[in-house]
Amino acid sequence: ASDQVWREVDAYFTGSLVAEDDALSEARASGVDTTMPQAEVSPNQGKLLAMLCQVAGASRVLEFGTLAGYSTVWMARAVGDGGHVTTLELEEQNAAVARKNLERAGVADRVEVLVGPAAESAQRLIDDGVAPYDFVFIDADKPSNPAYLRASLALTRPGAVIVIDNVVRNGAVTDPDSSDERVQGVRAVVADIASDPRLDATTLQTVGVKGWDGFTLIRRTG
Ligand code: DHB
Ligand code: MG
């Protein structure tokens, strides 16, 4: 099927099943004010993340890559009043956009935006001995995926769920000789997952308004 059909199907299901309030639609629209317009997850994907948090019973969520905070709002609402989200963002410009969106969505009090290289922010969390996270969404610079998974393993407990975005990239992921370092970042983290006996995983290809891509879903068993 053509791109056009995928988009129509995505719009049909979003229109039928995924209600965005003004805070969510404004958060998504504000992506244009970030350094990476159009990188947010789609509404269907945002709701999937929220529902995964809920079925996992997550109350503490860690996110690598905030941008406008669109996925952050979905997950912060999913963890509820007593929950907490820590989201890691490289650029202060993006963090400022996200903070406004989190305020508007009524979840600013349960979200901490840490600005700077995500690997450094994560290392600080590890050094501080923060309470373990139940759910992690890895959606930042793709070459760092292996480092972000390592940090996630230091910051979670057995039973935790880890989701990695953008693992298909229009099919480019299957090329072992790809010169795209984002592809190599995905392939490296997939190899790390496969060789780690504590991790169980599968990948769901996604198609729709974000083109052809996918999520790797990981459950930490040990
Ligand atoms: C890109 C990154 C993302 O996280 C995304 O969802 C889409 C695109 C990118 O690096 O281009
Ligand atoms: Mg992404």
Side-chain angles (χ1 to χ4, degrees):
S2 72
D3 253 48
Q4 179 56 27
V5 176
W6 299 343
R7 282 166 205 282
E8 285 169 8
V9 170
D10 204 355
Y12 164 70
F13 283 112
T14 299
S16 306
L17 302 177
V18 182
E20 272 187 332
D21 63 2
D22 288 349
L24 275 168
S25 57
E26 284 168 33
R28 192 157 47 79
S30 74
V32 296
D33 301 325
T34 70
T35 54
M36 281 194 56
Q38 313 282 303
E40 294 77 38
V41 299
S42 68
N44 267 310
Q45 293 170 344
K47 185 158 181 185
L48 174 64
L49 291 170
M51 293 180 70
L52 288 172
C53 287
Q54 289 166 331
V55 298
S59 64
R60 286 178 56 78
V61 170
L62 174 64
E63 178 178 55
F64 292 82
T66 311
L67 285 182
Y70 178 70
S71 49
T72 322
V73 170
W74 274 110
M75 295 189 291
R77 286 178 168 175
V79 297
D81 248 347
H84 180 81
V85 179
T86 305
T87 184
L88 312 182
E89 171 54 47
L90 176 63
E91 305 281 356
E92 175 52 41
Q93 176 190 334
N94 301 340
V97 173
R99 286 191 200 99
K100 264 209 311 233
N101 289 325
L102 295 163
E103 286 284 347
R104 196 154 38 200
V107 293
D109 56 335
R110 68 183 83 147
V111 180
E112 180 181 29
V113 185
L114 301 182
V115 179
E120 291 176 19
S121 296
Q123 186 58 50
R124 253 192 332 274
L125 294 170
I126 295 167
D127 294 343
D128 289 350
V130 296
Y133 292 91
D134 312 303
F135 188 96
V136 181
F137 182 45
I138 298 177
D139 188 23
D141 55 304
K142 313 311 172 190
S144 299
N145 276 341
Y148 298 155
L149 179 65
R150 273 196 304 280
S152 299
L153 289 170
L155 288 163
T156 53
R157 53 165 179 83
V161 173
I162 302 169
V163 177
I164 308 179
D165 194 23
N166 309 115
V167 297
V168 173
R169 303 212 77 105
N170 274 303
V173 68
T174 58
D175 180 6
D177 303 318
S178 174
S179 59
D180 184 337
E181 58 184 16
R182 296 169 301 183
V183 168
Q184 294 302 342
V186 171
R187 293 182 62 89
V189 80
V190 168
D192 290 346
I193 296 163
S195 65
D196 192 325
R198 295 169 297 177
L199 302 180
D200 205 12
T202 191
T203 293
L204 186 67
Q205 295 193 65
T206 57
V207 69
V209 297
K210 295 292 308 277
W212 176 24
D213 217 324
F215 284 123
T216 291
L217 310 175
I218 307 167
R219 192 169 68 93
R220 175 173 183 172
T221 59

